[in-house]
Amino acid sequence: MKAYNGNNVIKKQFSLVFVKFAVCFLLLGLAYRLFLSHFPHFSQIEVVNDAALFSDNTLPTPATVSESPVTLNEPPVTVSESPVNVDVSENQTLQNGKCDLFIGNWVHDPSGPVYTNATCYSIESHQNCMKNGRPDTEYLYWRWNPRDCELPRFSPKKFLNLMRNKSFTFIGDSIMRNHVQSLLCILSQEEQVDDVYHDEQYKSRRWYFPNLDFSLSVIWSPFLAKATVFEDDNGVTTDITQLHLDKLDDVWTQQFDSFDYVVIGGGKWYLKSTIYLENDTIVGCHNCPGKNITQVGFAYAYRKALNTTMKFITSSKNKAYTFFRTTTPDHFENGEWNTGGYCNRTGPFKGGEVDMGYVDEVMRKVELEEFERASEFGSNMKLFDTTLLSLLRPDGHPGVYRQYQPFAAENKNKVQNDCLHWCLPGPIDSWNDIMMQMLCH
């Protein structure tokens, strides 16, 4: 029998332990290297996001749709003033990754408008301020600039390519007609257009771009709802308007299935003296003295009619891309259009220099609430919130230059101011820049 060798056993056990330890050490080292190879990648993204989103406290918080116009008091900060590297082409802000195109300021633009009264035939006489003799021109050299992103200039060529074989329809009151004429003036600099339809009063019209099979139209429907109006073309009324709050105007609803793109809005006509009906029964009125009818106010009627309008759009089988445009503020000072009010300013307001009037505040509140309500059901409607940016342009209206040479001897006794509609060219042209950007993003 061989003698037991304790030293050999100990050596073998030690060697086995050492091998196991070495293998574990190698495995731990490999795992550590794999961990390190991934760890810097995640850490770096985290740091970059922190720097881009939170570190620059000089940047203002983007305003939301529901905020008060008081937020305009904050000085606008352009992208170039920020030390953070932001890709403005993607319309990103530093807070929510999305730019609010309707919060910003008007900046001087030496390039001026892309058309004049000499190069556009479709300017309505009441908005043709240059032809009518307005002496100042500074109002032509301003451009809307959103606070947290770049707004490219409207490209008529790009827009027309998007609209190939399509239709684009504006539905509403005379501000809609004002807007469609602005768009038409810009597009006609790029492409031939034919005037193919108008109603007797030239309030509803349609134009056709034959090379692109594109139709552009405006439909006169100032209430959007069904109304019986006793008023002539000069605004003279013979009886009070009757408005059905639960029925829409057939002039646009019967055509809606053929629309591809729509801009819809109104509001100002709800300030007129009106009797309101639901289920063909009188439910109240606005400004109807002597009628023995309960005064319920314009806000009640406007909310009801907008609710009916948006229900129709959201439930329609035709999912037209629809812009809902908010109310347009006027700039009458020291009176209204019929009590000596005027607008003779020659430059934009800055933030904080003007407050929205009570009526416009009420209308916009109704509009935003009803739009939010409709959005809950899902739709192709987009909010076209031009109210605040328009509020800053008291200089953009025709004023007395709604008529030709208003101070000529033969006109002195009948001078009237228009401080609601916009000169063409003028501030309303910037609405097309915004509309184009919304279509492309």
Side-chain angles (χ1 to χ4, degrees), residues 104-307:
N105 64 317
W106 292 89
V107 295
H108 195 260
D109 179 19
S111 62
V114 298
Y115 67 93
T116 68
N117 62 310
T119 63
C120 181
Y121 74 92
S122 60
I123 301 176
E124 199 167 289
S125 60
H126 290 329
Q127 281 91 56
N128 201 336
C129 303
M130 300 170 75
K131 182 179 180 180
N132 290 344
R134 180 169 174 171
D136 63 303
T137 58
E138 181 63 20
Y139 71 97
L140 299 171
Y141 296 93
W142 297 91
R143 187 168 177 270
W144 179 247
N145 180 47
R147 186 166 63 186
D148 291 315
C149 59
E150 292 289 336
L151 179 61
R153 292 182 183 278
F154 181 89
S155 168
K157 185 174 183 179
K158 187 174 182 180
F159 180 87
L160 287 168
N161 283 333
L162 283 173
M163 294 298 124
R164 190 178 294 274
N165 304 317
K166 302 292 184 182
S167 67
F168 202 112
T169 306
F170 290 74
I171 306 169
D173 55 20
S174 54
I175 297 296
M176 283 296 177
R177 194 162 67 243
N178 202 176
H179 187 187
V180 77
Q181 289 168 358
S182 164
L183 178 61
L184 186 64
C185 281
I186 298 174
L187 297 180
S188 63
Q189 309 304 301
E190 177 72 26
E191 188 68 41
Q192 172 196 346
V193 57
D194 299 329
D195 190 343
V196 295
Y197 168 79
H198 63 79
D199 61 8
E200 186 176 349
Q201 294 81 25
Y202 282 78
K203 291 184 175 181
S204 292
R205 302 184 67 174
R206 184 168 68 252
W207 299 267
Y208 183 64
F209 294 79
N211 293 334
L212 299 119
D213 188 26
F214 167 49
S215 294
L216 177 66
S217 59
V218 59
I219 296 177
W220 173 254
S221 183
F223 288 106
L224 302 179
K226 180 181 178 180
T228 304
V229 181
F230 304 92
E231 182 176 296
D232 64 18
D233 292 340
N234 296 317
V236 178
T237 60
T238 57
D239 201 352
I240 192 168
T241 297
Q242 297 184 12
L243 182 64
H244 295 262
L245 304 180
D246 54 350
K247 297 179 182 179
L248 297 178
D249 190 350
D250 289 344
V251 72
W252 69 270
T253 57
Q254 290 182 353
Q255 303 179 63
F256 190 81
D257 285 348
S258 65
F259 299 155
D260 296 306
Y261 296 90
V262 174
V263 183
I264 193 168
K268 293 301 183 184
W269 276 61
Y270 281 82
L271 302 179
K272 292 178 176 286
S273 298
T274 309
I275 294 174
Y276 305 132
L277 298 93
E278 295 181 63
N279 295 320
D280 296 320
T281 302
I282 294 176
V283 295
C285 72
H286 170 64
N287 191 26
C288 58
K291 291 289 185 180
N292 195 27
I293 300 174
T294 303
Q295 294 267 0
V296 296
F298 71 89
Y300 169 86
Y302 193 37
R303 184 181 299 278
K304 285 275 188 177
L306 281 185
N307 185 271

